[in-house]
Amino acid sequence: MDAYPLIENHGLIGDLQTAALVTTDGTVDWFCCPRFDSPSVFGALLDKEKGGHFTVRPAEANYTTKQLYFPDTAILVTRFMTESGTGEVIDFMPVTGTAATGRHRLVRMLRCVRGSMTFEGEIAPRFDYGRKPHSLHITEHGAVFDSEEMQIAVHAVREPQDERLLNLLSGNNDLRFALPLRAGQERGVVLESSPDGPPREIRVAEFQQLYEETIHFWRSWLSQSTYTGRWREAVERSAVTLKLMTYAPSGALVAAPTAGLPEQLGGERNWDYRFTWIRDASFSVYALLGLGFKEEATAFIGWLRDRVREEAAGGDSDTGPLNIMYRVDGTSDLVEETLEHWEGYERSAPVRIGNGAASQLQLDIYGEALDSIYFAHQHGIRLDVKGWSSLHTLLDWLVDHWDQPGEGLWETRGGRKDFTYGRVMSWVAFDRALRLSSASGRPAARGRWATERDRIYEQVLARGWDAKREAFVQHYGSDVLDSSLLRIPTVGFITPDDPMWRSTLDAMDRELVSDSLVYRYNPEASPDGLSGSEGTFSLCTFMYVDALARAGRTDQARLVLEKMLTYANHLGLYSEEIDLTGRQLGNFPQAFTHLALIDAAITLDAKLNGAGGNGG
């Protein structure tokens, strides 16, 4: 690998327990196994020399590539065109089911569709982020990579009459192969972790059956979508992407399947996103239910209910009864460490795994959790008696602790502050709890909750509003704007046509918006404890679309949305940020961005059709 591919020059495949990134030139350069948050097997995305990769490309030096998803699926097709022929690499992972397993299959189907083509491949795993050695054993029908904690089998796809069509060669404990094909031929390889037997030959018919079954799974799943609006292609691709980032055994959604991708090239803002944030996953309930995916929303509410029960039983703590993030199985061992031996994407070190922000106090998560639970209740997904009791305990803690500084939505590392967004979402927590109590007839400390709700409301209007700027501000005592506050009308704290909100939106237009793209905040005006700068935040741009639509500025909202769709990659995927050149930065793809895209499209569709929007 000569250079790092652009972050956006990737597609995502997965089996609902883990995922892999595939570049536009056919290289798997990121794959963790057996879970999203497991150590990497292929990690060339973060160190092209030491990370490991699985490369497939034509033997001819000159070729062009195109990449697409097979329609309505998560099956990725990378096409190679040369003077002698056209070939395809079809990548997918057969869905494993809802039981956690170490057995995962990464399927690479190689086809020649015109003329002839010889594919060359190299399988060079580097286990445990390149920290664990491995051995290679070539067998009659494939090969086996052995490391201390994992075994991966390589199964050859071929027919009895073409024994030499796929030649496996070893070197430095890596595997290389050459595969000459002519038009109409289809062969390939299957990587299988924790295999239940030795490598075996896979017939083409069995290969095709796996392919057809995977097509059927994704099309059947996507057929549940009720969205028929103007941006169906972008919305449905976002839905599939979110499904790919959902851990089926628990229903938890990871923020992104990657770690360490920089928010600024050469900078230190390189975080591990392979965990489940209470905030992000709570937002998934709106998006999923808005599209008709009740099963996924129900699974996450169950996951959230379990966290509330566990933490409520654990008593008081400085950071609150809920952590801001967890591993996909609900555990909370997210100790942050640095991979000193890796250079990072385009030398953007440090490369971090784990996440030190897990111990931060972010009061907004209680509002997001309660809001999603209430929204789910409105769609027939109800809390049981024990769930309500645990929620009651959580709110009792919030009564005593909402009025204190925290680190805030953006996980700044510059010290705790009285963030306005955190206060607004604390208001949401009490407001939704009161609504839930009324809707379900459950007992509640209604007087106490209502008192705190109203105290927060009055405090935000008194201290979170800057009369000189005529805008709500990032935190008390500052005049800094913050795009997290775009959600104020969404959650019903203020109406979209209130003069205070309209002037806030106008102020954001002037200061945080750059040709329709939206910054989170100005780090120079509000130091966040980190060096460097960042690009516009794609999540915030879609939140801006939602806010404009709710404010009745539908023409502007539509233009911003259409512009933003041009910043997607060739497959409709978004990372976290966009720099001045239009390049995508940060972890990829980012769930929060795709959730916000769905919400914005639903809200704007409704407004253009003369109806209301999603959420709130």
Side-chain angles (χ1 to χ4, degrees), residues 233-482:
E233 183 176 354
V235 166
E236 292 191 344
R237 180 50 54 194
S238 291
V240 170
T241 304
L242 293 171
K243 182 69 170 176
L244 280 170
M245 290 190 278
T246 301
Y247 184 66
S250 68
L253 175 76
V254 295
T258 56
L261 287 175
E263 297 176 19
Q264 179 187 28
L265 294 177
E268 66 170 328
R269 300 166 185 260
N270 318 317
W271 314 111
D272 191 345
Y273 274 20
R274 298 171 298 158
F275 310 117
T276 300
W277 269 252
I278 292 291
R279 175 188 309 109
D280 302 31
S282 293
F283 286 155
S284 73
V285 174
Y286 311 115
L288 292 168
L289 289 176
L291 298 179
F293 294 109
K294 187 172 181 178
E295 181 179 339
E296 285 72 19
T298 302
F300 171 70
I301 290 296
W303 182 90
L304 178 60
R305 177 198 60 218
D306 291 343
R307 304 292 80 73
V308 171
R309 283 180 180 174
E310 292 164 2
E311 303 299 345
D316 198 352
S317 73
D318 179 57
T319 57
L322 280 179
N323 291 342
I324 67 168
M325 71 181 89
Y326 297 85
R327 292 191 180 274
V328 289
D329 62 358
T331 57
S332 54
D333 55 327
L334 280 75
V335 176
E336 186 172 296
E337 62 178 301
T338 299
L339 300 179
E340 301 287 355
H341 62 293
W342 273 7
E343 70 174 15
Y345 177 83
E346 292 200 4
R347 300 184 184 275
S348 298
V351 176
R352 297 183 179 91
I353 57 173
N355 201 307
S359 61
Q360 288 188 351
L361 174 65
Q362 297 181 18
L363 292 164
D364 62 280
I365 65 172
Y366 298 99
E368 282 132 7
L370 266 293
D371 200 22
S372 66
I373 290 171
Y374 175 67
F375 192 72
H377 179 91
Q378 292 178 302
H379 287 76
I381 304 170
R382 306 296 164 80
L383 277 182
D384 57 22
V385 172
K386 290 183 179 179
W388 177 256
S389 177
S390 300
L391 209 61
H392 205 294
T393 303
L394 183 151
L395 286 157
D396 286 343
W397 179 90
L398 191 60
V399 164
D400 297 327
H401 293 87
W402 66 261
D403 194 11
Q404 62 176 309
E407 275 87 4
L409 167 70
W410 306 126
E411 295 169 10
T412 57
R413 302 195 180 192
R416 294 183 176 181
K417 298 179 176 66
D418 292 305
F419 285 99
T420 304
Y421 180 75
R423 292 295 198 276
V424 169
M425 295 311 295
S426 293
W427 174 90
V428 170
F430 291 118
D431 180 76
R432 301 313 191 258
L434 289 164
R435 296 191 195 189
L436 272 169
S437 173
S438 296
S440 63
R442 298 271 172 80
R446 295 186 59 83
R448 194 179 184 203
W449 293 353
T451 297
E452 298 307 314
R453 178 194 63 183
D454 296 346
R455 283 184 61 202
I456 296 169
Y457 185 84
E458 291 167 358
Q459 185 189 90
V460 169
L461 291 183
R463 302 179 61 191
W465 170 260
D466 186 301
K468 184 177 180 180
R469 300 209 66 181
E470 295 188 310
F472 288 99
V473 292
Q474 183 182 65
H475 58 84
Y476 297 170
S478 79
D479 63 356
V480 176
L481 301 180
D482 192 312

Side-chain angles (χ1 to χ4, degrees), residues 540-555:
C540 299
T541 302
F542 287 118
M543 287 169 53
Y544 181 55
V545 172
D546 190 282
L548 289 171
R550 291 175 187 273
R553 293 160 59 176
T554 53
D555 287 345

